[in-house]
Amino acid sequence: MAENLKRRPRKGILKNSSSFDKQDPQFNAKKQKETKWDEMNIIATLHPADKDYGHMKIQEPKTPFNYMEQDNIEELDASELAERIRIATEQPPKVMQHDDSDDDSEGELTDDQKKKKKEFELKRKKHYNEFHALQLAKKLLEEEEDDDDEEKHHNSSDNQPSSS
């Protein structure tokens, strides 16, 4: 074994350092074939000054913000604000308030308009009760089917000869 360590290998696995110093002829040919770009010609050809490429400048109107002078704004009066809050708390919310405008407008309607309005209200009530009407119809259909089944069963038992 010690003999093998003293021997030099026939051919080394690494390249000689002199191979890096030499210029490769293929490398020089690649350098000469490099593409050079004429950027000014590209800009002049593909991006002419009079071409807009579909870009539009949109003229937008000013926002409808009310630019009031700060001096003209009235200052809030604390006592007036407290009074408004007190009045508002005494009344029920607007949603809960009953609007009698529909009842008042009925007096101004003609007889024909009143009749149409009542018909409409009846149709609306029927429409909203349609679910219950369907449930009732299903129940009636089931009862009829049960009655039919009973009749068929009864008729079939009458037609059979009695075995005595």
Side-chain angles (χ1 to χ4, degrees), residues 51-94:
K51 193 168 182 183
D52 64 352
Y53 292 102
H55 300 294
M56 279 178 46
K57 185 171 184 180
I58 298 173
Q59 298 292 334
E60 294 187 19
K62 292 184 177 181
T63 58
F65 183 77
N66 189 6
Y67 295 98
M68 293 177 52
E69 292 181 20
Q70 297 297 330
D71 299 336
N72 294 343
I73 297 177
E74 297 177 17
E75 291 186 24
L76 292 176
D77 184 18
S79 60
E80 182 182 343
L81 184 61
E83 181 63 24
R84 286 185 179 183
I85 291 173
R86 186 189 61 77
I87 292 171
T89 55
E90 291 175 357
Q91 298 174 353
K94 288 184 179 180

Side-chain angles (χ1 to χ4, degrees), residues 1-8:
M1 249 239 240
E3 297 172 359
N4 289 338
L5 292 174
K6 292 180 183 178
R7 289 167 66 191
R8 285 190 97 190

